[in-house]
């Protein structure tokens, strides 16, 4: 591949800003988060696979951005030529790199959603939906029901108490991410969140930046695909991990957030506790895996 002129090459940050909506609120950090993660990843990619592979990924990224903006068929043909000219080994690395970049972009968006929510709570208002990242906010929903749909707070609370949630843990491995990879993504998300804290010191920032690079590299070097079929015991362990993260941690936090949102519309009662049939759910996962085997 012909060596690019790095001085003329648009930065990742610039490419992201060209792809971003024209109107972005002042509190928007998504581009900054995304650019940081991608810049760190490209440095790691160069250290692991050399400058040529890094430049190939940058070429593909830039061509993709140009095609997304202008829908120029020539850019799409040029992008296709870059891919078809790769040898099998490099094509696997480039494909894995883009998959990892998409994961990093998703993590940046998750951190941005949490950041925007904190800003909304701090300002006591909600940003314009036309300029906001797509998200679900319980308090905003309750306020719309009361203010726009003309439902009383008690009516909202009564209907909320009637809601039921059925949890299904499927044993079919059609849409799954390895637990080890989920844990690494969680560490990347935590590092990114702490890195932009207002009270962070310069030493803490350096340490977090190093930790962020370690976790990004660890996630990239983790095989996304299990090379052996999962056993019923493996599926049970995976099911238990979902219970730990979703039920033991996530559900209480969610219910506390619902209670807080209800208080903000004048309801001081708490939502009744959820009841879940653990024996049914846990037994179902292993049983299905045995029948599949």
């Amino acid at each position: 591949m012909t060596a690019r002129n790095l001085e003329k090459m648009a930065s990742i940050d610039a490419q992201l800003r060209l792809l971003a909506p024209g109107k972005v609120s002042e509190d928007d950090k998504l581009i900054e988060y995304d650019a940081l993660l991608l810049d760190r990843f490209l440095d790691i990619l160069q250290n692991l696979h050399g400058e040529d592979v890094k430049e190939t990924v940058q070429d593909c990224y830039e061509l993709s951005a140009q095609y997304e903006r202008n829908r120029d068929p020539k850019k799409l043909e040029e992008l296709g030529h870059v891919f078809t000219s790769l040898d099998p080994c490099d094509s696997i690395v480039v494909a894995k790199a883009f998959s990892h970049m998409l994961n990093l972009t998703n993590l940046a968006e998750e951190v941005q959603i949490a950041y925007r929510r904190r800003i909304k709570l701090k300002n006591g208002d909600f940003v314009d939906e036309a300029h906001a990242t797509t998200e679900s906010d319980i308090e905003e929903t309750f306020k719309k029901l009361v203010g726009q749909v003309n439902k009383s707070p008690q009516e909202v609370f009564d209907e909320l108490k009637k809601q039921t949630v059925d949890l299904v843990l499927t044993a079919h491995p059609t849409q799954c991410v390895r637990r080890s990879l989920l844990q690494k993504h969680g560490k990347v998300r935590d590092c990114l969140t702490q890195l932009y804290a207002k009270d962070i010191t310069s030493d803490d920032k350096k340490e977090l930046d190093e930790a962020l690079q370690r976790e990004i590299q660890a996630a990239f070097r983790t095989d996304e695909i299990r090379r052996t079929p999962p056993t019923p015991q493996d599926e049970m362990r995976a099911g238990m991990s979902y219970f730990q993260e979703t039920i033991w941690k996530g559900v209480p936090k969610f219910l506390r957030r619902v209670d807080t949102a209800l208080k903000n519309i004048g309801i001081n009662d708490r939502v009744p506790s959820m009841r879940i049939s653990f024996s049914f759910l846990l037994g179902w996962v292993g049983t299905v895996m045995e029948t599949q085997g």
Side-chain angles (χ1 to χ4, degrees):
M1 184 187 73
T2 304
R4 70 164 58 243
N5 187 339
L6 295 179
E7 294 181 357
K8 294 182 179 180
M9 185 191 69
S11 66
I12 293 294
D13 180 81
Q15 291 293 336
L16 287 169
R17 293 186 184 279
L18 288 173
L19 289 172
K23 295 181 179 179
V24 180
S25 60
E26 293 181 358
D27 67 326
D28 200 322
K29 293 282 187 179
L30 179 57
I31 294 175
E32 189 174 349
Y33 295 155
D34 206 358
L36 174 65
L37 293 180
L38 295 184
D39 281 337
R40 294 295 183 270
F41 169 65
L42 289 174
D43 290 339
I44 292 169
L45 186 66
Q46 179 174 334
N47 293 334
L48 292 175
H49 297 284
E51 187 174 353
D52 287 344
V53 172
K54 174 188 175 181
E55 289 183 358
T56 299
V57 171
Q58 288 177 320
D59 277 333
C60 296
Y61 187 91
E62 185 176 353
L63 289 171
S64 300
Q66 292 173 356
Y67 175 73
E68 177 66 21
R69 286 198 310 274
N70 304 321
R71 297 292 177 177
D72 184 356
K74 293 182 179 179
K75 296 298 180 183
L76 187 60
E77 293 177 4
E78 191 174 348
L79 180 62
H81 177 71
V82 173
F83 285 133
T84 56
S85 64
L86 296 173
D87 61 54
C89 292
D90 286 344
S91 63
I92 292 175
V93 174
V94 171
K96 182 177 176 64
F98 268 88
S99 175
H100 190 60
M101 290 166 71
L102 290 174
N103 289 332
L104 294 177
T105 298
N106 289 336
L107 293 175
E109 185 173 357
E110 290 177 15
V111 176
Q112 164 70 355
I113 289 175
Y115 174 81
R116 291 182 71 86
R117 186 177 187 278
R118 291 194 299 270
I119 292 296
K120 289 191 293 185
L121 293 176
K122 181 179 178 180
N123 295 338
D125 196 3
F126 298 102
V127 295
D128 186 356
E129 288 185 0
H131 301 161
T133 306
T134 301
E135 60 182 285
S136 176
D137 192 292
I138 302 168
E139 185 172 350
E140 185 176 5
T141 300
F142 288 173
K143 287 184 176 180
K144 285 183 177 180
L145 288 173
V146 175
Q148 299 180 16
V149 189
N150 297 322
K151 296 293 183 181
S152 69
Q154 188 61 45
E155 285 179 309
V156 173
F157 182 59
D158 291 339
E159 289 300 320
L160 189 64
K161 290 189 293 184
K162 298 177 184 178
Q163 304 303 309
T164 59
V165 178
D166 295 325
L167 302 179
V168 177
L169 299 181
T170 175
H172 302 280
T174 54
Q175 187 179 7
C176 59
V177 179
R178 297 184 64 184
R179 280 181 297 159
S180 57
L181 200 55
L182 287 173
Q183 292 169 354
K184 293 179 177 67
H185 287 168
K187 291 178 181 178
V188 171
R189 184 170 53 246
D190 292 341
C191 287
L192 185 61
T193 302
Q194 297 176 51
L195 196 58
Y196 282 88
K198 291 185 177 180
D199 57 348
I200 188 173
T201 65
S202 58
D203 289 342
D204 289 339
K205 190 170 184 178
K206 291 178 182 178
E207 293 173 3
L208 283 170
D209 192 33
E210 291 176 357
L212 179 65
Q213 294 179 58
R214 287 196 303 270
E215 297 304 333
I216 291 175
Q217 178 170 331
F220 179 64
R221 301 184 70 173
T222 299
D223 195 345
E224 297 181 89
I225 303 173
R226 288 187 61 124
R227 299 302 172 179
T228 57
T231 64
Q233 290 78 12
D234 292 332
E235 285 296 323
M236 288 298 293
R237 280 191 289 270
M240 288 300 297
S241 70
Y242 280 109
F243 269 74
Q244 180 180 1
E245 297 298 325
T246 303
I247 296 178
W248 303 149
K249 296 181 181 179
V251 170
K253 182 178 180 180
F254 173 77
L255 291 178
R256 286 193 295 269
R257 184 165 295 175
V258 171
D259 290 337
T260 301
L262 285 170
K263 288 181 180 179
N264 289 334
I265 62 171
I267 299 294
N268 293 319
D269 293 333
R270 293 181 177 274
V271 177
S273 301
M274 298 176 64
R275 296 180 179 179
I276 304 172
S277 177
F278 296 104
S279 58
F280 169 75
L281 289 173
L282 289 175
W284 188 77
V285 175
T287 302
V288 174
M289 278 303 304
E290 290 177 353
T291 59
Q292 287 181 345

